[in-house]
């Protein structure tokens, strides 16, 4: 496994490899990331993982500072997963070149997290575009937990670059909580709440699908979660899966949630 810090060094290793699978991460690796790596190893020639806590996608400085970092442990996991290349650039390396045109997200996509986290997806799109230009991967992999991230990356880049954008299933723990680096920040009682919320929404989705409950009962659930679990829900919404529009059919929707447990913000979709 080659550990690479500089773009020119990276070019030496991968410029002749035509089928690189790229898994972008911000470190704090868990089984969700490993599943993306496995997928990449299945369909790509070589797998490259980046570890870069991208400062421009954090809307609050404090959030950037407390974001879990565990480089040593991450490298052990990547070696075990038989990754070919790990790219660990500095912010200067990535942001050295100024953008010609600012990333602007269309008003119609200023929904869900894009509405609540100012500049977040602009930061994500910026860094992913930079990575795609540097690496020119054949495939790039994203987890379904961050569905809106995948959706926007596909919208903005699938026509612009040859790279195939691949969505991989959310991995949940035994409590049904979607794996996320931020889960490390939760204590026992907070884990319990996150688990209750996930189970409630999984069951609600199944009831909508089987006509047991009407989807307009979602607001009742939102109030229930807000008051009984003492969390602050940013949004709890049902959206059509392919366009993220509000009109959906029973077999083609997702339930999206973002909420704060104390100071930790979690997102999920079902
Ligand atoms: O999902 C993440 O971890 C980040 O948003 C990503 C895709 C690595 C970009 O910084």
């Amino acid at each position: 496994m080659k550990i690479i810090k500089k773009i020119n060094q990276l070019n030496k290793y991968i410029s002749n490899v035509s089928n690189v699978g790229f898994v972008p991460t911000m470190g704090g690796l868990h089984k969700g990331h490993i599943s993306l790596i496995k997928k990449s190893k299945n369909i790509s020639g070589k797998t490259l993982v980046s570890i870069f806590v991208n400062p421009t996608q954090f809307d609050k400085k404090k959030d950037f500072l407390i974001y879990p970092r565990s480089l040593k442990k991450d490298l052990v996991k990547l070696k075990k997963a038989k990754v070919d290349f790990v790219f660990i650039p500095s912010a200067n390396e990535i942001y050295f070149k100024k953008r010609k045109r600012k990333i602007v997200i269309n008003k119609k996509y200023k929904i869900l997290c894009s509405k609540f986290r100012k500049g977040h997806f602009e930061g994500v799109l910026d860094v992913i575009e930079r990575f795609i230009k540097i690496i020119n991967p054949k495939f790039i992999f994203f987890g379904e937990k961050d569905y809106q991230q995948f959706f926007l990356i596909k919208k903005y880049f699938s026509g612009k670059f040859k790279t195939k954008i691949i969505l991989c299933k959310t991995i949940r723990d035994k409590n049904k909580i979607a794996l996320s680096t931020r889960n490390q920040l939760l204590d026992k009682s907070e884990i319990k709440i996150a688990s209750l919320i996930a189970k409630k929404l999984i069951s609600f989705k199944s009831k909508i699908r089987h006509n047991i409950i009407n989807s307009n009962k979602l607001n009742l659930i939102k109030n229930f979660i807000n008051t009984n679990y003492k969390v602050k829900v940013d949004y709890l919404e049902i959206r059509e899966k392919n366009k993220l529009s509000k009109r959906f059919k029973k077999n083609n929707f997702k339930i999206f949630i973002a909420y704060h447990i104390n100071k930790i913000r979690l997102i999920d979709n079902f």
Side-chain angles (χ1 to χ4, degrees):
M1 184 174 84
K2 288 268 175 297
I3 299 172
I4 302 162
K5 292 188 173 163
K6 300 276 182 204
I7 295 172
N8 55 13
Q9 209 185 347
L10 181 80
N11 286 337
K12 272 190 213 148
Y13 284 116
I14 63 163
S15 57
N16 291 325
V17 190
S18 62
N19 49 2
V20 173
F22 173 43
V23 180
T25 84
M26 299 206 298
L29 302 182
H30 50 67
K31 288 188 180 136
H33 295 113
I34 303 300
S35 78
L36 304 187
I37 291 167
K38 278 193 182 146
K39 178 86 190 176
S40 172
K41 287 190 67 75
N42 274 338
I43 65 172
S44 327
K46 299 271 181 199
T47 291
L48 186 154
V49 175
S50 64
I51 299 179
F52 179 61
V53 185
N54 174 31
T56 67
Q57 70 186 74
F58 288 85
D59 47 343
K60 295 192 179 80
K61 192 153 186 220
K62 172 104 192 284
D63 195 25
F64 171 69
L65 294 174
I66 66 163
Y67 194 83
R69 289 157 170 90
S70 49
L71 186 56
K72 263 194 182 164
K73 282 190 193 161
D74 289 347
L75 290 176
V76 173
K77 288 176 191 168
L78 293 177
K79 204 162 179 193
K80 201 170 154 213
K82 299 201 166 62
V83 162
D84 301 286
F85 306 108
V86 188
F87 184 39
I88 316 175
S90 66
N92 199 31
E93 194 73 5
I94 294 297
Y95 288 109
F96 180 72
K97 269 196 193 160
K98 292 273 166 291
R99 288 195 73 81
K100 286 206 184 95
R101 231 181 287 145
K102 222 175 110 182
I103 300 257
V104 179
I105 292 178
N106 192 309
K107 244 192 180 165
K108 71 174 175 207
Y109 301 128
K110 292 268 178 192
I111 54 170
L112 307 172
C113 279
S114 186
K115 184 167 146 195
F116 283 88
R117 296 187 72 191
K118 286 233 156 56
H120 168 65
F121 287 120
E122 287 81 351
V124 171
L125 290 175
D126 187 2
V127 79
I128 291 299
E129 184 168 35
R130 286 168 188 269
F131 274 128
I132 292 178
K133 282 184 177 161
I134 295 167
I135 298 163
N136 188 21
K138 181 153 190 203
F139 304 106
I140 184 167
F141 301 86
F142 296 98
E144 193 163 3
K145 196 209 76 165
D146 300 302
Y147 190 81
Q148 194 180 7
Q149 167 170 279
F150 159 77
F151 175 86
L152 288 171
I153 287 170
K154 207 160 175 196
K155 263 265 144 339
Y156 282 81
F157 299 145
S158 67
K160 191 167 177 183
F161 300 108
K162 283 199 181 129
T163 305
K164 253 188 132 183
I165 301 159
I166 304 208
L167 184 66
C168 304
K169 272 204 160 31
T170 301
I171 308 291
R172 297 184 181 277
D173 67 12
K174 61 179 191 307
N175 304 309
K176 299 284 179 218
I177 303 173
L179 295 192
S180 160
T181 305
R182 289 175 195 271
N183 295 353
Q184 296 175 28
L185 302 168
L186 301 171
D187 67 22
K188 257 192 179 167
S189 65
E190 291 163 343
I191 289 173
K192 178 96 198 142
I193 291 168
S195 167
L196 287 169
I197 291 173
K199 285 175 184 163
K200 205 164 195 56
L201 294 175
I202 290 168
S203 133
F204 185 63
K205 178 164 189 182
S206 144
K207 283 180 186 157
I208 298 176
R209 276 217 167 133
H210 296 98
N211 286 323
I212 297 168
I213 206 165
N214 194 305
S215 59
N216 62 20
K217 293 277 184 289
L218 193 67
N219 255 338
L220 292 179
I221 298 210
K222 186 174 174 184
N223 292 340
F224 180 89
I225 291 174
N226 262 327
T227 46
N228 289 278
Y229 301 146
K230 306 237 163 20
V231 302
K232 187 178 149 282
V233 178
D234 274 352
Y235 59 79
L236 175 59
E237 287 187 36
I238 303 182
R239 298 247 171 196
E240 195 269 347
K241 211 171 156 179
N242 298 317
K243 293 192 180 127
L244 292 188
S245 56
K246 285 204 165 171
R247 287 170 65 132
F248 63 91
K249 291 198 180 117
K250 281 207 172 70
N251 58 358
N252 203 12
F253 70 92
K254 269 182 166 294
I255 302 175
F256 293 89
I257 188 165
Y259 60 96
H260 302 255
I261 304 189
N262 299 322
K263 290 202 167 59
I264 304 140
R265 186 176 190 273
L266 298 177
I267 61 169
D268 204 347
N269 63 78
F270 305 89

